[in-house]
């Protein structure tokens, strides 16, 4: 960068400019190791847990009656150990909730994974293990966990480890390594005392699934968004990667569309940095060319990266995108109307995203009736197998499924 950009002259002005550029460039690239071959991974050093911390955690777990584990994206930062961590979770036997890139860790179905009523479970649990999950707004800044719960927090970040609420056992370490070692020393006798707790959580999970199924059948002017998500779940290939990029529609999909395996879910992260859809999908497909790659777009988020379909087409990178098009920023609109009685800044149009993709050489499909959803999805899959990049513009009705989510 310095060689290419620095002005070539011996004048005082040029020397000042070069000095500024050198300082600025070094700041940008500070901390980056030099001389590493491009195809070699960089070794990341992170804190290690101690045996005494494992013992303390196991001692506390052994006397708990209502434990839960919440795993976040940080727990998946060692991809080579993903299977070992999944086995460790199953061996320990504590019911768990998966968030971020941890979704799919236990496959499509697992008796230990709970998907609904997490907030209620956190209020009832007497022990909570946070594996790579900070106590930020998603956990009510720590207040979402019962004051009577014993909290074990495992995090690589000193700041996130104790953010907003001090855990009873803070462990500055990698969550994956901690869970694996916890399982190695875990007293299996504890599991019997959790049977009724797990049954209770499973029963609530199943009741919510029934509610969702009923809600998905409710008639609407356009497509029911929950029914669309259910059909996506039905046709999804076992060897699929899901990229979620959106607010309300993408978040609704996260409750219904189930990743089939570990490391098969990508999303904008906790701060909702929309626009990652096409870029994430492109990278996912290039690195996993034998896998089916889907983008679940909200119509607002779609506008950020839709132009990259031009890149997908030119470089022959096939993906399937589904846009839940309700012509508004639903997640914001729903709460804004209640709080401010005003929809300013939230309304969009039923833009013809399918025609935009067609104009770029991809295949655009349009659907607005419930009865046509499955056939359109299957058509998209067939076109994908032919090497085409496909976008389905699904005209959906509004939904109160996630009312009160923000």
């Amino acid at each position: 960068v310095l060689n290419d950009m620095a002005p070539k002259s011996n004048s005082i002005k040029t020397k000042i400019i070069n000095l500024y550029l050198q300082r600025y460039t070094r700041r940008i690239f500070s901390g980056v190791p030099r001389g590493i071959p491009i195809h070699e991974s960089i070794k990341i050093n992170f804190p290690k847990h101690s045996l005494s911390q494992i013992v303390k955690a196991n001692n506390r777990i052994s006397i708990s009656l209502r434990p839960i584990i919440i795993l976040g994206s940080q727990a998946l930062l060692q991809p080579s150990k993903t299977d070992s961590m999944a086995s460790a979770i199953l061996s320990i036997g504590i019911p768990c909730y998966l968030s971020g890139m941890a979704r799919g860790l236990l496959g499509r179905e697992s008796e230990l994974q709970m998907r609904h009523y997490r907030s209620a479970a956190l209020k009832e649990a007497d022990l909570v293990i946070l594996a790579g999950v900070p106590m930020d707004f998603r956990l009510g800044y720590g207040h979402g966990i019962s004051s009577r719960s014993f909290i074990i927090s495992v995090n690589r970040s000193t700041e996130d480890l104790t953010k907003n609420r001090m855990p009873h056992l803070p462990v500055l370490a990698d969550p994956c390594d901690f869970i694996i070692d916890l399982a190695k020393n875990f007293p299996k006798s504890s599991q019997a005392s959790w049977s009724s707790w797990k049954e209770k959580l499973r029963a609530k999970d199943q009741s919510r699934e029934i509610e969702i199924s009923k809600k998905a059948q409710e008639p609407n002017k356009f497509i029911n968004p929950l029914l669309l998500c259910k059909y996506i779940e039905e046709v999804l290939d076992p060897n699929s990667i899901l990229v979620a990029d959106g607010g309300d529609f993408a978040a609704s999909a996260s409750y219904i569309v189930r990743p089939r395996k570990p490391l098969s879910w990508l999303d904008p992260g906790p701060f909702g940095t929309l626009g990652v859809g096409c870029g994430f999908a492109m990278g996912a497909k290039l690195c996993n060319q034998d896998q089916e790659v889907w983008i679940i777009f909200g119509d607002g988020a779609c506008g950020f990266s839709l132009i990259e379909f031009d890149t997908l087409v030119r470089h022959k990178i096939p993906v399937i995108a589904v846009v839940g098009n309700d012509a508004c920023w639903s997640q914001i609109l729903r709460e804004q109307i209640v709080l401010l009685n005003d929809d300013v800044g939230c309304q969009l149009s039923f833009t013809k995203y399918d025609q935009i993709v067609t104009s770029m050489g991809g295949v655009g499909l349009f659907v607005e009736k419930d009865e046509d959803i499955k056939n359109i999805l299957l058509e998209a899959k067939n076109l994908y197998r032919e090497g085409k990049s496909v976008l389905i513009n699904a005209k959906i009705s509004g939904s109160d499924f996630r009312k009160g989510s923000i």
Side-chain angles (χ1 to χ4, degrees):
V1 174
L2 288 171
N3 290 336
D4 290 340
M5 299 302 296
K8 306 296 188 292
S9 172
N10 291 322
S11 68
I12 297 295
K13 180 181 177 180
T14 300
K15 288 180 180 178
I16 293 172
I17 293 173
N18 285 344
L19 185 64
Y20 169 78
L21 287 173
Q22 288 171 10
R23 181 174 179 273
Y24 186 72
T25 306
R26 283 172 184 146
R27 283 184 63 190
I28 291 175
F29 294 100
S30 63
V32 178
R34 295 170 182 258
I36 295 178
I38 194 167
H39 295 297
E40 287 188 16
S41 58
I42 300 173
K43 181 176 174 55
I44 305 296
N45 294 315
F46 46 82
K48 308 293 183 184
H49 58 267
S50 65
L51 178 59
S52 64
Q53 289 172 322
I54 293 290
V55 172
K56 287 178 183 177
N58 274 329
N59 287 343
R60 193 70 200 196
I61 292 169
S62 66
I63 61 172
S64 68
L65 298 175
R66 299 181 304 281
I68 61 172
I69 300 177
I70 302 179
L71 291 104
S73 296
Q74 193 188 101
L76 276 291
L77 290 181
Q78 297 191 76
S80 62
K81 295 184 179 181
T82 299
D83 290 342
S84 297
M85 181 168 62
S87 297
I89 292 288
L90 295 173
S91 175
I92 294 169
I94 295 177
C96 65
Y97 291 86
L98 307 178
S99 62
M101 288 193 298
R103 288 186 174 95
L105 178 65
L106 302 180
R108 184 180 185 182
E109 301 284 351
S110 171
E111 288 193 353
L112 287 182
Q113 184 183 351
M114 309 300 162
R115 290 182 166 82
H116 309 292
Y117 296 116
R118 188 178 80 169
S119 296
L122 285 169
K123 288 296 185 183
E124 291 185 62
D126 61 0
L127 181 138
V128 177
I129 301 175
L130 302 176
V133 179
M135 285 184 272
D136 58 15
F137 65 93
R138 293 166 293 178
L139 296 178
Y141 302 100
H143 300 296
I145 301 174
S146 169
S147 59
R148 298 182 297 276
S149 294
F150 187 91
I151 302 174
I152 301 171
S153 181
V154 190
N155 206 293
R156 289 186 179 194
S157 165
T158 306
E159 180 183 355
D160 287 347
L161 183 63
T162 57
K163 180 178 286 186
N164 299 314
R165 180 175 172 181
M166 179 63 72
H168 299 88
L169 178 56
V171 181
L172 185 63
D174 179 76
C176 175
D177 287 343
F178 182 84
I179 294 293
I180 291 171
D181 283 353
L182 192 69
K184 291 176 183 175
N185 299 274
F186 187 72
K188 297 292 191 295
S189 56
S190 306
Q191 296 176 349
S193 60
W194 305 332
S195 298
S196 60
W197 170 238
K198 286 193 277 192
E199 287 172 8
K200 180 178 181 179
L201 292 178
R202 274 197 293 269
K204 293 181 76 172
D205 236 44
Q206 289 165 3
S207 70
R208 182 58 170 158
E209 291 289 345
I210 292 170
E211 288 176 12
I212 292 172
S213 293
K214 289 180 179 177
K215 203 164 186 62
Q217 298 304 321
E218 292 176 357
N220 288 276
K221 183 178 180 181
F222 304 119
I223 287 173
N224 184 318
L226 303 186
L227 184 63
L228 174 57
C229 291
K230 278 192 160 293
Y231 274 120
I232 294 172
E233 164 65 17
E234 182 182 328
V235 305
L236 202 63
D237 193 84
N239 199 25
S240 296
I241 296 175
L242 294 161
V243 178
D245 188 12
D248 200 62
F249 179 65
S252 296
S254 72
Y255 287 93
I256 300 169
V257 183
R258 302 182 177 187
R260 300 322 197 224
K261 59 183 182 178
L263 301 172
S264 61
W265 175 276
L266 293 164
D267 62 34
F271 300 112
T273 47
L274 302 183
V276 301
C278 282
F280 277 10
M282 200 180 304
K285 184 60 181 176
L286 289 171
C287 292
N288 304 275
Q289 297 191 22
D290 61 333
Q291 297 187 40
E292 198 173 80
V293 176
W294 290 70
I295 311 173
I296 299 174
F297 270 131
D299 53 343
C302 178
F304 286 108
S305 71
L306 184 64
I307 194 65
E308 291 299 342
F309 258 85
D310 174 78
T311 308
L312 293 168
V313 170
R314 282 188 293 108
H315 292 278
K316 297 180 174 55
I317 306 171
V319 301
I320 303 172
V322 180
V323 183
N325 188 353
D326 57 2
C328 65
W329 296 94
S330 292
Q331 185 166 278
I332 306 302
L333 175 66
R334 187 189 301 116
E335 310 302 334
Q336 185 172 304
I337 289 292
V338 174
L339 293 172
L340 304 176
N341 196 31
D342 197 327
D343 65 358
V344 63
C346 296
Q347 295 295 346
L348 300 170
S349 300
F350 283 113
T351 301
K352 301 184 188 305
Y353 299 108
D354 51 311
Q355 293 185 15
I356 297 172
V357 166
T358 299
S359 72
M360 290 188 282
V363 179
L365 303 173
F366 178 74
V367 60
E368 60 180 341
K369 295 179 181 178
D370 288 348
E371 58 267 28
D372 296 332
I373 299 172
K374 187 171 182 179
N375 286 338
I376 287 287
L377 290 171
L378 293 175
E379 182 182 351
K381 285 171 67 76
N382 288 332
L383 289 164
Y384 170 88
R385 292 189 191 103
E386 294 173 9
K388 306 287 179 59
S389 287
V390 188
L391 180 139
I392 300 170
N393 184 14
K395 195 172 186 178
I396 62 174
S397 294
S399 169
D400 62 356
F401 174 63
R402 296 185 63 250
K403 185 177 181 179
S405 59
I406 61 171

